[in-house]
Amino acid sequence: MSVIGSEIKHADAFKLNDESSRAILRLFGEKATQVKLGGGTDAISKHHKRNKLTARERIEKLIDAKSKFLEIGIFTAYGMYEEYGGAPSAGVVCGIGTVSGRDVVIVANDATVKAGAWFPISCKKNLRAQEISIENRLPIIYLVDSAGVFLPLQSEIFPDKEHFGRIFRNNAVMSAMGITQIAAIMGPCVAGGAYLPIMSDEAMIVDKTGSVFLAGSHLVKAAIGEEIDNESLGGATVHCEISGVTDHKMKNDDECLMKIRSIIGKLGHAPQAIFDRAKPSAPKFEPKEIYGILPAERTKPYDTYQVLARILDSSELDEYKAGYGKSIITGYARVDGWAIGVVANQRAIVKTAKGEMQVGGVIYSDSADKATRFIMNCNQKKIPLVFFQDVTGFMVGSRAEQGGIIKDGAKMVNAVANSIVPKFTFIVGNSYGAGNYAMCGKAYDPRLIFAWHTAQIAVMGGKQASETLLAIKVQAMEKGGTHISAEQQQSLLNEVQARYEQELDPVYAASRLWVDDVIDPLDTRRIISRGIAMAANNPHTPQFNPGVIQV
């Protein structure tokens, strides 16, 4: 394998880029710290006074010591539901943790946020956690502490296919698939939400704090006139000693979490998928230099090889078709010892064998053809794929159209859609239009998808979109007889640009679960390694069944 050479010169531009990256990451870190407080310090204090741990404290005690929790969706709902006081992390903490040496998916209601009530995006987040469990055949643990559906938004969460009921449908399907589901009722568990723990394979309940019933005491009185308190109606003693609804009565949160660890530690082991892994090695170049490589002015080109050199083991890349289709880099490499196939947009302006210049970040016909063939090769060789997106879209214009760009692009999208090895996506910079699809965006089922701090996701770039939207608006106003001066047009353009730029922010994407999280580039190696190890838990995935990708 070839070592990628480093051409980094610590000039003024590098230092400016480095400072910009670090400033943005500090800002994201501050936002994440605030989000982790959930409903705030007062709500946490009240929670503790009830002898209850918070969702994050429960997860920390549940996972193995010194292991790291890979959180999914920390910024979910960020900036949303402000009229209701907000919903940090959508009131539920999700991710992949190691429990008794096993990778598991954990879903923990945060009762400091609206008593753990479910917002529409909370449902989407829970479904994402179940999707990860299903795709990778990971056991899933539900730490339940929720007042149920957030009633002011019930119409957006209750009846549709991807709404609340889908969670319970998944409970049933996952059990049939042999995926272990363990639930701990550590607070209220009300109405339809009561089905989630009881449809799990094993359920425990914490005495005096946990309760489960289809209707609480107030509703029971209103419905049938019976007067009863919640503990007598659906507490731990009732369901462990009388109804038999739950399996284990726990005296407190700590004992409950230890019980879960004990159960997980005794699970049988299924055969694992064999992805090749060698002895890990660090990149030859300092990973922190990525901060200085990524340009503060996102329109400026940069050499993607230099980014890869700070991610790949020993900075080595066994490149595929190196001299052809240069606007996409393809090749075999290793990360933390795992063999991977790299598909990365080249952001540098490159020269083809014909002497033509190709703009960085654009997918040309030859690049699409190369990437398609490489993706098929990785599927044949059972090598997981890792996509690094910084793409403005496919090449346009008469020459590109006559050259069959639509056909070549469709082949690449087809190959990505039908790929049967695990896929992982990192949005490094731009992720525009059909380029998002071809480079394995969220719609193409990557096992994990993360955005770097420099990411932007949209149908097109901010400048092009703003000018297009302005032209449409001006045309409509002038058609109605309103003349728009140059000053008014500039004011409208500024207004449109401000709104569009807000929607390009990676946290905007993360808040809506278009990506699993916004990360520091230095976490990329750890996430790839964790992701492949997680994917190896599923021996029944299609990658080990015969099949041909049709392109």
Side-chain angles (χ1 to χ4, degrees), residues 193-314:
Y195 286 104
L196 184 145
I198 309 311
M199 291 187 74
S200 297
D201 304 304
E202 200 157 355
M204 54 205 70
I205 183 169
V206 178
D207 193 23
K208 301 297 185 293
T209 56
S211 58
V212 56
F213 32 63
L214 293 181
S217 56
H218 294 296
L219 184 54
V220 166
K221 183 177 181 180
I224 64 174
E226 181 182 2
E227 292 197 14
I228 190 170
D229 62 82
N230 284 338
E231 184 65 26
S232 302
L233 181 65
T237 299
V238 171
H239 287 309
C240 286
E241 300 176 16
I242 300 175
S243 72
V245 166
T246 51
D247 307 305
H248 307 282
K249 182 179 178 180
M250 302 285 104
K251 65 181 181 182
N252 54 40
D253 281 10
D254 287 300
E255 184 181 71
C256 185
L257 297 171
M258 289 302 295
K259 186 72 170 180
I260 296 172
R261 288 184 52 79
S262 177
I263 293 170
I264 292 291
K266 295 177 177 66
L267 295 181
H269 293 269
Q272 291 211 331
I274 306 301
F275 300 120
D276 186 69
R277 193 178 194 188
K279 184 179 179 180
S281 62
K284 287 188 176 294
F285 307 105
E286 173 54 58
K288 289 181 181 178
E289 290 181 335
I290 290 174
Y291 299 155
I293 295 169
L294 299 174
E297 295 181 43
R298 61 186 312 106
T299 56
K300 289 188 175 181
Y302 64 90
D303 189 355
T304 302
Y305 286 104
Q306 298 309 315
V307 174
L308 295 176
R310 286 148 182 84
I311 294 173
L312 306 179
D313 283 14
S314 302

Side-chain angles (χ1 to χ4, degrees), residues 432 455-458 460-462 499-508:
Y432 298 157
Q456 287 190 349
I457 305 171
M460 65 177 72
R499 179 172 58 83
Y500 202 83
E501 287 296 325
Q502 180 186 5
E503 294 176 359
L504 288 172
D505 191 301
V507 172
Y508 186 91

Side-chain angles (χ1 to χ4, degrees), residues 82-387:
E82 294 299 324
E83 65 272 36
Y84 302 107
S89 285
V92 58
V93 183
C94 301
I96 301 106
T98 304
V99 176
S100 297
R102 305 283 289 265
D103 272 346
V104 300
V105 175
I106 302 171
V107 179
N109 297 117
D110 185 352
T112 70
V113 179
K114 301 290 188 296
W118 291 79
F119 288 77
I121 199 72
S122 312
C123 182
K124 183 176 181 180
K125 188 171 181 179
N126 198 115
L127 292 173
R128 173 61 179 144
Q130 289 182 321
E131 179 182 44
I132 292 171
S133 173
I134 291 169
E135 286 180 334
N136 301 286
R137 299 299 192 274
L138 296 181
I140 186 166
I141 298 167
Y142 306 101
L143 305 180
V144 185
D145 192 348
S146 171
V149 168
F150 186 65
L151 287 177
L153 298 174
Q154 64 85 26
S155 64
E156 299 176 36
I157 191 174
F158 169 63
D160 210 347
K161 181 178 179 179
E162 300 299 331
H163 283 179
F164 204 47
R166 189 75 173 183
I167 296 170
F168 314 135
R169 175 265 184 194
N170 286 351
N171 286 145
V173 169
M174 291 163 73
S175 286
M177 294 171 69
I179 297 172
T180 298
Q181 299 177 84
I182 297 174
I185 301 167
M186 309 179 83
C189 188
V190 186
Y195 286 104
L196 184 145
I198 309 311
M199 291 187 74
S200 297
D201 304 304
E202 200 157 355
M204 54 205 70
I205 183 169
V206 178
D207 193 23
K208 301 297 185 293
T209 56
S211 58
V212 56
F213 32 63
L214 293 181
S217 56
H218 294 296
L219 184 54
V220 166
K221 183 177 181 180
I224 64 174
E226 181 182 2
E227 292 197 14
I228 190 170
D229 62 82
N230 284 338
E231 184 65 26
S232 302
L233 181 65
T237 299
V238 171
H239 287 309
C240 286
E241 300 176 16
I242 300 175
S243 72
V245 166
T246 51
D247 307 305
H248 307 282
K249 182 179 178 180
M250 302 285 104
K251 65 181 181 182
N252 54 40
D253 281 10
D254 287 300
E255 184 181 71
C256 185
L257 297 171
M258 289 302 295
K259 186 72 170 180
I260 296 172
R261 288 184 52 79
S262 177
I263 293 170
I264 292 291
K266 295 177 177 66
L267 295 181
H269 293 269
Q272 291 211 331
I274 306 301
F275 300 120
D276 186 69
R277 193 178 194 188
K279 184 179 179 180
S281 62
K284 287 188 176 294
F285 307 105
E286 173 54 58
K288 289 181 181 178
E289 290 181 335
I290 290 174
Y291 299 155
I293 295 169
L294 299 174
E297 295 181 43
R298 61 186 312 106
T299 56
K300 289 188 175 181
Y302 64 90
D303 189 355
T304 302
Y305 286 104
Q306 298 309 315
V307 174
L308 295 176
R310 286 148 182 84
I311 294 173
L312 306 179
D313 283 14
S314 302
S315 303
E316 292 180 342
L317 179 68
D318 189 358
E319 196 164 359
Y320 174 81
K321 289 184 178 289
Y324 177 70
K326 291 185 176 182
S327 73
I328 288 183
I329 299 168
T330 54
Y332 307 102
R334 292 188 183 275
V335 167
D336 197 32
W338 294 104
I340 64 167
V342 173
V343 182
N345 299 113
Q346 170 59 296
R347 275 300 310 273
I349 298 173
V350 296
K351 190 174 184 180
T352 69
K354 297 178 181 179
E356 300 167 343
M357 304 303 291
Q358 292 187 344
V359 178
V362 177
I363 302 176
Y364 294 78
S365 284
D366 53 357
S367 303
D369 174 66
K370 176 173 80 170
T372 300
R373 293 170 183 270
F374 180 71
I375 289 165
M376 294 173 70
N377 284 350
C378 287
N379 275 268
Q380 183 189 53
K381 296 177 173 68
K382 300 179 178 62
I383 299 174
L385 285 158
V386 181
F387 293 81

